[in-house]
Amino acid sequence: MTYKEFKYQLLKELEERFPSGTSITIQEIPHNNNHTEEALTILEPGLNISPTIYLESYFRQLKKEVPISSIIAQIYSYYQEHRSTQSIDTSFFTCFENIRPRIVYKLVHQEKNKELLKEVPWIPYLDLAIVFYCLLSKSPTENASVLIRNEHLCYWNVSVEDLLSLAQKNTPFLLSSCCDSLAELLLPILEQLPVQEQTDTKNTFASASMVPMYVLTNQQRFLGACCILYDDVLKEIAERLDSDLYILPSSIHEVILMPVTVTESVPALSQMVCDINQSEVSAEEILSDHIYYYHRSTDSITM
């Protein structure tokens, strides 16, 4: 079955499961780094909000010979589990006073998002861009957010500088930072490996302990690379480690910090970031191929 046939069959069978008047559509959803993905939207009568169901993973199942009836059952079950029981009051978003305490920021790559940046307010930062969104709940992993666009500024009558001022206060408060040892984060995964693999990996950790790495993100571990912008976060970590810091952009969700006292080769670190981006990070989650340097003396970041 081709992807086109899969989509046709999916729409046909789902329409039979929902009441008359339900809108079931498939459309391209834009993602970070100019990446798009097709997604299914189901709007039942009386509702104006629906979970976004991306189709790529389900089509991969089909290619692995999972029956389409099983795939449709999965999609239907996912929808029922995540569907909203009431519509969103869209007038809420038109009042800036409602939005003011919910404005937060995130970091994306400038060049990879140059088309998006034509449509949204943003501020340049190194090779990155600070963009803004409205956090509708403290569960951003459930897509409970709205990207702020240029037209929003027009009817709110606010500037990008206003957004930045608010986001600088709101983001650390709503999405507080956390910094953990990379080795400690990997230990729970390590315990699930076979005994021999555990031993081999523990030996790797032991040899790597001379090059300590720390993961900086937010408590939700979602769009947390922007924690490098929070007041005093890098300063406190650098003081605790008694060192300036290399910042490795792991993804849009987190960065890896290393004390420069480990005297790692900067070209080698840059190459490591590039290699990981190419092999381990999905295209829409790449932040940058460059590493950054945090200076304790000036509390600043350079490339």
Side-chain angles (χ1 to χ4, degrees):
M1 184 180 291
T2 67
Y3 182 57
K4 184 177 180 180
E5 292 169 336
F6 166 69
K7 291 191 293 182
Y8 174 81
Q9 190 70 20
L10 180 63
L11 291 173
K12 180 181 176 183
E13 296 202 22
L14 283 174
E15 284 172 357
E16 297 174 359
R17 295 184 178 227
F18 288 91
S20 175
T22 300
S23 171
I24 305 177
T25 58
I26 294 173
Q27 54 191 326
E28 281 199 343
I29 305 294
H31 286 305
N32 187 47
N33 294 339
N34 202 32
H35 179 77
T36 60
E37 187 175 355
E38 287 200 317
L40 179 75
T41 301
I42 301 170
L43 285 175
E44 295 183 68
L47 292 176
N48 65 0
I49 185 172
S50 170
T52 302
I53 304 173
Y54 294 104
L55 297 182
E56 185 177 332
S57 62
Y58 293 107
F59 186 60
R60 285 200 300 266
Q61 289 187 47
L62 186 70
K63 290 194 290 185
K64 293 178 181 178
E65 301 186 353
V66 175
I68 191 168
S69 58
S70 174
I71 293 172
I72 291 172
Q74 289 179 52
I75 291 173
Y76 183 79
S77 176
Y78 179 90
Y79 171 79
Q80 293 297 338
E81 182 179 348
H82 294 88
R83 69 185 290 272
S84 175
T85 57
Q86 58 186 10
S87 291
I88 285 182
D89 179 7
T90 53
S91 65
F92 172 87
F93 200 71
T94 61
C95 175
F96 186 66
E97 291 308 309
N98 292 334
I99 301 303
R100 179 188 294 271
R102 302 167 185 261
I103 291 172
V104 293
Y105 54 46
K106 62 180 178 179
L107 283 172
V108 300
H109 192 267
Q110 273 192 52
E111 181 62 25
K112 293 178 186 293
N113 291 279
K114 58 185 179 181
E115 293 303 314
L116 171 69
L117 297 180
K118 295 175 183 177
E119 303 175 3
V120 302
W122 64 284
I123 297 205
Y125 186 79
L126 304 170
D127 62 331
L128 309 175
I130 303 171
V131 298
F132 306 91
Y133 62 103
C134 176
L135 190 63
L136 298 178
S137 80
K138 294 195 95 174
S139 299
T141 52
E142 295 180 359
N143 294 323
S145 62
V146 177
L147 184 67
I148 294 176
R149 298 183 174 273
N150 292 330
E151 55 264 30
H152 295 137
L153 270 62
C154 293
Y155 60 72
W156 289 337
N157 193 28
V158 298
S159 67
V160 64
E161 290 77 19
D162 294 328
L163 294 183
L164 180 62
S165 178
L166 290 167
Q168 286 173 327
K169 298 174 184 176
N170 295 338
T171 316
F173 176 72
L174 296 173
L175 302 169
S176 57
S177 66
C178 60
C179 184
D180 301 295
S181 162
L182 179 60
E184 290 176 357
L185 290 174
L186 293 176
L187 281 176
I189 301 173
L190 173 61
E191 292 172 356
Q192 300 177 22
L193 297 175
V195 175
Q196 184 55 51
E197 289 187 40
Q198 284 190 35
T199 302
D200 294 342
T201 310
K202 283 179 180 177
N203 290 336
T204 302
F205 278 174
S207 61
S209 63
M210 298 183 66
V211 185
M213 295 185 178
Y214 300 87
V215 179
L216 175 64
T217 183
N218 56 34
Q219 295 289 342
Q220 287 77 11
R221 302 191 180 279
F222 185 79
L223 300 178
C226 66
C227 289
I228 64 173
L229 302 175
Y230 292 6
D231 288 343
D232 296 330
V233 166
L234 292 177
K235 182 178 180 181
E236 290 173 4
I237 296 169
E239 288 178 353
R240 189 167 70 244
L241 297 175
D242 192 25
S243 173
D244 289 356
L245 302 171
Y246 291 124
I247 304 172
L248 282 59
S250 177
S251 75
I252 56 175
H253 303 302
E254 71 280 307
V255 298
I256 293 176
L257 307 178
M258 296 175 57
V260 300
T261 49
V262 300
T263 62
E264 282 289 313
S265 161
V266 171
L269 288 177
S270 297
Q271 187 60 51
M272 181 176 72
V273 170
C274 291
D275 291 344
I276 291 175
N277 281 343
Q278 290 180 13
S279 61
E280 304 295 335
V281 184
S282 60
E284 68 270 20
E285 296 190 344
I286 292 174
L287 181 59
S288 176
D289 287 334
H290 294 106
I291 67 170
Y292 310 107
Y293 191 106
Y294 173 74
H295 306 261
R296 276 196 299 168
S297 60
T298 57
D299 188 26
S300 63
I301 299 173
T302 58
M303 291 180 63

